[in-house]
């Protein structure tokens, strides 16, 4: 069983958890803020929760500019799943709390949620929906809550509690309650936590 909230958490089956960033400071700091260099550094780290990868992604998040958004959007259109995952990871928290590209990001993520078939991409999309906390993501999250793969349902459980809205959307709440009874223990645990936390 996986611990539900810690940074860098991963599921028992090896899929990354909701927050795939490592605990503590990265082992090495990069000296560049060039978008292409940071993307290359992130892609060079084969570990989805790797310190070098998330150090580069965090720097991209803080840039929050159109250059970074455009580069991430381009990654999301790649034929390579690892590049699409990176693009989604960048977009999910691009620009910090301001989220200057939230509307465009939401449209792109909803497209990927409907059309992509790679499990890692779908998981990343759901985590990004959770970071955005936008109730407009609800239909996409509910659709993926029924996915056959537990890593995708796990992402849906994470996202649902963050996009339910106030008052909670009835369809979203019903989907979260179904996930709390999921046969996968990690999915059920995360969904149950989402039901009790505000």
């Amino acid at each position: 069983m996986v611990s539900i909230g810690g940074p860098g958490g991963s599921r028992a089956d090896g899929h990354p958890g909701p927050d795939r960033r490592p605990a503590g400071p990265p082992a090495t700091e990069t000296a560049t803020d060039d978008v292409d260099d940071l993307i290359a550094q992130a892609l060079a780290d084969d570990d989805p929760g790797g310190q070098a990868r998330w150090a580069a992604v965090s720097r991209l998040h803080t840039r929050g500019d159109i250059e970074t958004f455009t580069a991430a959007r381009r990654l999301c259109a790649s034929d390579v799943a690892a590049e699409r995952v990176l693009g989604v990871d960048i977009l999910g928290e691009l620009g910090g709390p301001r989220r200057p590209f939230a509307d465009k990001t939401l449209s792109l993520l909803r497209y990927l949620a409907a059309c992509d078939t790679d499990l890692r991409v779908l998981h990343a999309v759901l985590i990004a929906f959770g970071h955005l906390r936008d109730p407009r993501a609800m239909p996409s999250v509910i659709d993926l809550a029924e996915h056959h793969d537990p890593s995708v349902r796990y992402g849906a459980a994470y996202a649902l509690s963050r996009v339910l809205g106030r008052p909670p959307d009835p369809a979203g709440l019903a989907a979260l309650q179904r996930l709390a009874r999921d046969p996968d223990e990690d999915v059920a645990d995360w969904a149950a936590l989402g039901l009790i936390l505000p």
Side-chain angles (χ1 to χ4, degrees):
M1 182 164 119
V2 70
S3 154
I4 295 291
S10 65
R11 294 171 36 84
D13 60 8
H15 288 283
D19 188 352
R20 293 165 289 164
R21 289 168 288 196
T28 59
E29 282 293 325
T30 58
T32 181
D33 279 326
D34 179 75
V35 172
D36 292 335
D37 288 346
L38 290 169
I39 287 172
Q41 289 168 27
L43 289 171
D45 189 342
D46 293 333
D47 178 2
Q51 289 186 340
R53 181 184 193 279
W54 280 102
V57 171
S58 293
R59 291 181 78 125
L60 289 161
H61 287 159
T62 60
R63 286 179 55 99
D65 59 7
I66 189 68
E67 182 184 1
T68 306
F69 172 78
T70 302
R73 184 179 61 194
R74 192 168 37 251
L75 286 168
C76 289
S78 171
D79 291 335
V80 179
E83 292 181 2
R84 296 196 305 277
V85 170
L86 178 60
V88 170
D89 286 343
I90 294 166
L91 291 175
E93 296 187 83
L94 182 61
R98 294 182 301 113
R99 302 286 194 271
F101 305 102
D103 288 342
K104 293 177 182 177
T105 294
L106 186 64
S107 296
L108 180 56
L109 294 178
R110 291 186 70 187
Y111 173 80
L112 289 172
C115 298
D116 209 298
T117 58
D118 187 273
L119 300 177
R120 294 163 299 168
V121 174
L122 294 175
H123 178 87
V125 164
L126 288 160
I127 300 309
F129 280 146
H131 289 315
L132 289 173
R133 296 178 179 263
D134 191 322
R136 293 176 294 173
M138 184 72 63
S140 300
V141 179
I142 290 173
D143 286 347
L144 289 173
E146 302 291 330
H147 199 277
H148 67 87
D149 187 85
S151 70
V152 177
R153 296 194 310 273
Y154 184 75
Y158 172 78
L160 273 170
S161 65
R162 295 165 181 268
V163 300
L164 279 176
R166 297 281 185 256
D169 176 86
L173 190 57
L176 192 57
Q177 289 167 338
R178 282 193 302 276
L179 289 173
R181 299 186 299 273
D182 196 272
D184 184 279
E185 187 177 1
D186 292 337
V187 174
D189 284 351
W190 191 262
L193 185 64
L195 287 169
I196 62 174
L197 292 179

